[in-house]
Amino acid sequence: MKPSISRRAMVASAAALALGPGLLRTARADNGVTDTIIRIGQSAVFSGPAKDFGIDYRAGIKLYFDRVNKSGGVNGRKIELVTYDDAYDPAKTAVNTARLIDEDKVFALTGYVATGNLAAAMPLAEKAGVPMFAPLVGTTSFRTKVNRYLFHVRAGYDLELRKIISHLSTIGIQSIAVVYQDSAFGKSNLATCEELAADYKVKVLKTFPLAIAAEDAKQVATGLADAKPGAVVMIMAGRMVEVFMRDYRANAVGAPLYTLSVGITDAAGSAKRLEGKLAGLVTASIVPPPQALRVPIVADYQRDRAEFGEKIDSYTALEGYIVARVMVEGLRRAGKTLTRDGFIAGLESIGSTRFGDFPIEYSAKNHNGSTFVDLEMYTRDGQLRR
């Protein structure tokens, strides 16, 4: 006698429970995944004085996704990127993130920009169990403890600042001043800079906050002239860097300038607007130069730019391209039945490897990605030289 339908259902249910919750999750794909699509969400700055970061980052991410989609996708699924503008406002980031998770039902999040914005989004992502991949954020506080749902690609700002401070110490500069963005990003990394300066016995003479939307920095420039530091370290991002440099150069303060990787994104535009005064600015770089075709991943990036007609070409766009390539590897390793648990496990299984000669390391105990940092100097026309 055959068991009834209800009897068969009870047997199947008991068998599934015996397999455990981990295997139950792999029985079907998570939100944002269909037979043909993987939906990824992004909230970033696409308007206002810091818009270059979001625009360029998205361009690089989408460029590699386009390459993958043209080749058939990931295990037969095309990647769809859903983006919203948060205008650099953490409150808008939170609204956008809730929308991406609750309404768009995205599988994962990527390409977020700025410390405060990431801080606004992470509680929502964690509560929903949605992975947050490769925010354009290097703040140390997000990296000291492993968060199951947060993966970085870029090196942390602590590594950038260490590179700058150790370099200054090596060349005999014993005092600095710091100009920092008056935001969570600026304040947290100012503290890191002060700790590193103490480690290298470099004295911090003065620190100066500057508003994100500042239109002049004359008072700061005057304060720097009075302080007479051996060098000035800038912990700022976007057009406010140009505002500061314009007034600093006009005040004829002689100390050399150093900035984090997020200081300048539109180098050619900055050089033009500053009328040559960009020359001499030293920046930390967390990816190879976008023109360094000797590096395989850069050659791939430039090949795809040409094929897909992408006009944006910058360090941030290259970073986005690298980010997407690493993310796709995690998606591939997750297998045909794509789940968030599988994606996290796939990323953690990468270990220590190179993507087109760009180093990445992940494990269950390390979600920090790259440690690559170099120093380069801008020419008057916005080119970088080592």
Side-chain angles (χ1 to χ4, degrees), residues 326 329 333 345-355 359-364 366 369-370:
V326 179
E329 180 62 21
R333 287 172 180 244
L347 289 170
E348 290 179 343
S349 74
I350 286 174
S352 180
T353 190
R354 288 178 174 268
F355 289 79
I360 291 289
E361 184 171 353
Y362 290 133
S363 71
N366 176 20
S370 172

Side-chain angles (χ1 to χ4, degrees), residues 273-309:
R273 288 185 289 270
L274 287 170
E275 299 177 331
K277 296 181 178 66
L278 188 64
L281 172 64
V282 178
T283 182
S285 298
I286 50 80
V287 294
Q291 288 74 41
L293 297 179
R294 67 185 181 280
V295 181
I297 200 161
V298 176
D300 291 346
Y301 159 76
Q302 292 294 359
R303 176 205 65 206
D304 288 346
R305 280 189 65 244
E307 180 170 337
F308 291 95

Side-chain angles (χ1 to χ4, degrees), residues 19-334:
L19 290 173
L23 289 180
L24 270 175
R25 278 194 295 272
T26 64
R28 62 178 180 80
D30 279 330
N31 278 349
V33 180
T34 71
D35 289 342
T36 58
I37 292 291
I38 304 169
R39 186 174 297 112
I40 306 295
Q42 179 189 24
S43 174
V45 51
F46 300 120
S47 62
K51 65 182 180 181
D52 292 333
F53 292 107
I55 290 171
D56 288 23
Y57 206 32
R58 176 176 60 185
I61 291 169
K62 187 175 182 300
L63 179 61
Y64 190 72
F65 285 171
D66 287 345
R67 162 58 61 196
V68 171
N69 288 343
K70 185 175 181 179
S71 302
V74 181
N75 294 318
R77 297 182 177 99
K78 302 290 181 70
I79 304 174
E80 176 186 301
L81 183 64
V82 181
T83 65
Y84 296 118
D85 181 16
D86 58 35
Y88 219 47
D89 180 351
K92 290 182 180 178
T93 305
V95 171
N96 290 347
T97 302
R99 180 180 177 185
L100 286 164
I101 293 171
D102 298 334
E103 297 179 25
D104 296 306
K105 306 290 186 184
V106 297
F107 174 76
L109 301 164
T110 193
Y112 278 51
V113 176
T115 299
N117 304 73
L118 179 61
M122 276 312 301
L124 300 172
E126 291 175 87
K127 184 178 179 180
V130 176
M132 171 72 76
F133 189 75
L136 202 158
V137 175
T139 300
T140 307
S141 58
F142 289 110
R143 296 164 180 267
T144 53
K145 187 178 179 181
V146 173
N147 181 326
R148 171 172 169 75
Y149 297 105
L150 177 60
F151 286 82
H152 304 279
V153 170
R154 65 164 31 230
Y157 295 138
D158 59 329
L159 296 181
E160 294 187 35
L161 287 166
R162 183 177 293 279
K163 188 80 170 183
I164 291 170
I165 301 297
S166 64
H167 166 75
L168 293 173
S169 175
T170 299
I171 64 176
I173 291 179
Q174 299 177 333
S175 67
I176 62 171
V178 183
V179 184
Y180 65 96
Q181 184 169 306
D182 194 7
S183 67
F185 155 68
K187 293 171 185 175
S188 61
N189 289 295
L190 170 63
T192 301
C193 184
E194 290 175 322
E195 291 171 8
L196 287 166
D199 289 346
Y200 285 92
K201 296 180 171 53
V202 174
K203 187 175 182 180
V204 180
L205 298 178
K206 294 281 286 185
T207 64
F208 300 89
L210 192 63
I212 294 171
E215 295 186 1
D216 81 71
K218 293 175 183 176
Q219 190 172 354
V220 173
T222 299
L224 288 167
D226 293 340
K228 296 181 173 60
V232 177
V233 177
M234 295 184 289
I235 303 176
M236 301 185 290
R239 293 295 174 85
M240 63 185 300
V241 173
E242 293 181 27
V243 170
F244 167 71
M245 288 192 65
R246 179 198 66 203
D247 293 345
Y248 180 82
R249 299 293 198 203
N251 210 37
V253 185
L257 296 173
Y258 289 76
T259 183
L260 296 177
S261 60
V262 293
I264 299 287
T265 48
D266 178 19
S270 294
K272 185 176 181 180
R273 288 185 289 270
L274 287 170
E275 299 177 331
K277 296 181 178 66
L278 188 64
L281 172 64
V282 178
T283 182
S285 298
I286 50 80
V287 294
Q291 288 74 41
L293 297 179
R294 67 185 181 280
V295 181
I297 200 161
V298 176
D300 291 346
Y301 159 76
Q302 292 294 359
R303 176 205 65 206
D304 288 346
R305 280 189 65 244
E307 180 170 337
F308 291 95
E310 177 53 64
K311 294 181 180 179
I312 293 174
D313 184 19
S314 67
Y315 279 72
T316 305
L318 173 58
E319 181 182 350
Y321 183 86
I322 293 170
V323 158
R325 183 158 168 179
V326 179
M327 187 178 198
V328 165
E329 180 62 21
L331 293 170
R332 284 189 176 126
R333 287 172 180 244

Side-chain angles (χ1 to χ4, degrees), residues 328-348:
V328 165
E329 180 62 21
L331 293 170
R332 284 189 176 126
R333 287 172 180 244
K336 184 66 177 176
T337 305
L338 181 57
T339 66
R340 291 167 179 152
D341 285 346
F343 175 53
I344 291 168
L347 289 170
E348 290 179 343

